[in-house]
Amino acid sequence: MRGGPRRSHLGVLLLASQLLHVGLENIPPVTLAVLGLNAYLYMFPAVPLLQACVSVERAYWYKEWRRLVLSPLHHADDFHLYFNMVSFLWKGIRLERQMGGPWFFYLLSVFSLLTGVVYLLLEIALTELTQEITYSMQCAVGFSGVLFGLKVLSNHYHPGGVTYIVGFPVSNRYASWLELVLIHITSPGTSFVGHLAGILVGLLYTIGPLETIMKKCAGFVTTDGNNSGHSAYYSSSGSSGYGNAHRGYPAYQPHSPYGYTTNSTSYTGGLTEEEQIEAAIRNSLNDGGQTNQRGAPPPYGFREPGDTAEEVRQRRLRRFEH
């Protein structure tokens, strides 16, 4: 979440280029729809930015509750959009294929609203504790609070993994907290409270009652509140929770949390997963060409074009025969 003037549409073009490199056919539908909606609302905003951002003053005092919906879907400038959406691209590919589209859409909707609510509560608390009215006037916008919640969720289900932050390996258990501090230091214009709100919503889901509440309210998905992908996800007992091989995607390996070697030296100065995403895209493009060894599985999240379900099944049978 951040605020500031719009600059250009270069970030939109870079985002479009990134999506084409990954391949639209490799992006699950809910993830692709959310990416498209955010890009569309950047180019054609539903309301001016100052009417979309969320603050205690506007949302609570003046009862403009629609800001809770509008705020995560609008961005301050094109690179704010680009960095958020590229980070969401990788998280969305992993989590949607893991959970299933309906539950992932449900999760995003709840996280988007709750992040705004928790943000308001934190700002109210800061106003009361410090007696500084400025906390209630701060207006935040952007999808990054939701991204921090998804980061917590992802890290919770493979705690043994490692995230590289400015080139240094950090346990996934602490990565979100370290990123929260580093982003605030390196990018002062970002909303520390907004990102913290996302982390707290993620913790409410992973170690709090939010998951149980959502399951009880999810009767619209199936009679027991779970779709098949979501049931498989939560019934997994390993450190990763990734076991949906029936979808035709390779199972997640906890020792390599992103399915590739993170030896990239590029860093985008805000969202620390970007160097990992760029490396993944390069590996994906290479594996789609002549560099794949015969019979080697593609990187996680990218299915080889032309593979049928029968071909995938035969390849797995041959692997077990050896």
Side-chain angles (χ1 to χ4, degrees):
M1 294 185 176
R2 60 182 290 184
R6 294 176 184 262
R7 295 197 293 263
S8 70
H9 286 79
L10 178 59
V12 179
L13 296 176
L14 290 174
L15 176 60
S17 174
Q18 202 84 55
L19 297 181
L20 292 176
H21 276 300
V22 174
L24 297 181
E25 69 280 2
N26 293 319
I27 305 174
V30 173
T31 299
L32 186 60
V34 172
L35 289 166
L37 179 61
N38 276 269
Y40 177 84
L41 288 177
Y42 171 74
M43 294 183 291
F44 307 101
V47 294
L49 196 63
L50 290 178
Q51 295 179 28
C53 62
V54 63
S55 67
V56 175
E57 177 196 18
R58 305 310 307 184
Y60 182 62
W61 294 351
Y62 290 96
K63 310 302 180 185
E64 297 178 9
W65 298 113
R66 66 173 186 167
R67 291 173 180 263
L68 292 173
V69 177
L70 295 173
S71 174
L73 298 176
H74 289 75
H75 290 82
D77 56 55
D78 56 332
F79 278 95
H80 186 206
L81 171 75
Y82 171 72
F83 290 133
N84 278 356
M85 291 300 100
V86 171
S87 180
F88 174 67
L89 171 64
W90 192 246
K91 292 180 178 71
I93 287 175
R94 297 172 65 202
L95 291 175
E96 184 175 348
R97 285 176 171 169
Q98 172 186 339
M99 296 180 170
W103 187 267
F104 187 58
F105 176 78
Y106 181 30
L107 182 82
L108 287 177
S109 301
V110 172
F111 272 34
S112 295
L113 290 174
L114 270 187
T115 298
V117 171
V118 174
Y119 171 78
L120 294 179
L121 293 176
L122 290 174
E123 293 286 22
I124 290 172
L126 286 171
T127 300
E128 293 297 322
L129 289 173
T130 64
Q131 295 299 306
E132 286 286 344
I133 197 67
T134 54
Y135 286 109
S136 293
M137 312 290 285
Q138 291 178 357
C139 213
V141 67
F143 203 69
S144 51
V146 179
L147 291 175
F148 268 88
L150 296 179
K151 176 84 172 175
V152 171
L153 181 60
S154 179
N155 290 346
H156 176 76
Y157 290 105
H158 42 90
V162 171
T163 295
Y164 284 82
I165 299 180
V166 291
F168 295 96
V170 178
S171 170
N172 283 343
R173 184 176 181 180
Y174 307 107
S176 297
W177 297 104
L178 183 57
E179 287 181 8
L180 173 68
V181 175
L182 284 179
I183 291 176
H184 183 63
I185 293 174
T186 59
S187 303
T190 59
S191 173
F192 179 87
V193 178
H195 295 164
L196 177 61
I199 291 178
L200 294 179
V201 170
L203 292 175
L204 280 174
Y205 187 90
T206 55
I207 63 177
L210 181 57
E211 177 191 351
T212 301
I213 294 172
M214 286 177 62
K215 286 182 178 180
K216 290 181 179 179
C217 296
F220 65 90
V221 179
T222 63
T223 55
D224 64 353
N226 297 300
N227 63 32
S228 58
H230 186 238
S231 299
Y233 171 62
Y234 284 105
S235 64
S236 300
S237 58
S239 63
S240 69
Y242 287 44
N244 50 344
H246 63 279
R247 293 179 179 270
Y249 306 112
Y252 177 80
Q253 299 297 327
H255 296 292
S256 179
Y258 294 96
Y260 56 86
T261 302
T262 53
N263 57 358
S264 172
T265 58
S266 63
Y267 174 62
T268 56
L271 296 174
T272 57
E273 286 186 338
E274 307 316 324
E275 60 182 12
Q276 300 171 352
I277 295 168
E278 291 176 5
I281 292 171
R282 285 196 296 271
N283 286 347
S284 172
L285 294 174
N286 289 336
D287 289 336
Q290 69 275 14
T291 58
N292 242 8
Q293 295 179 353
R294 184 177 300 274
Y300 179 77
F302 296 91
R303 185 172 181 175
E304 293 177 315
D307 278 358
T308 64
E310 180 61 24
E311 288 172 342
V312 174
R313 189 180 70 83
Q314 290 297 332
R315 212 166 41 239
R316 288 184 181 138
L317 289 175
R318 286 197 298 272
R319 187 185 310 166
F320 285 115
E321 288 172 359
H322 289 88

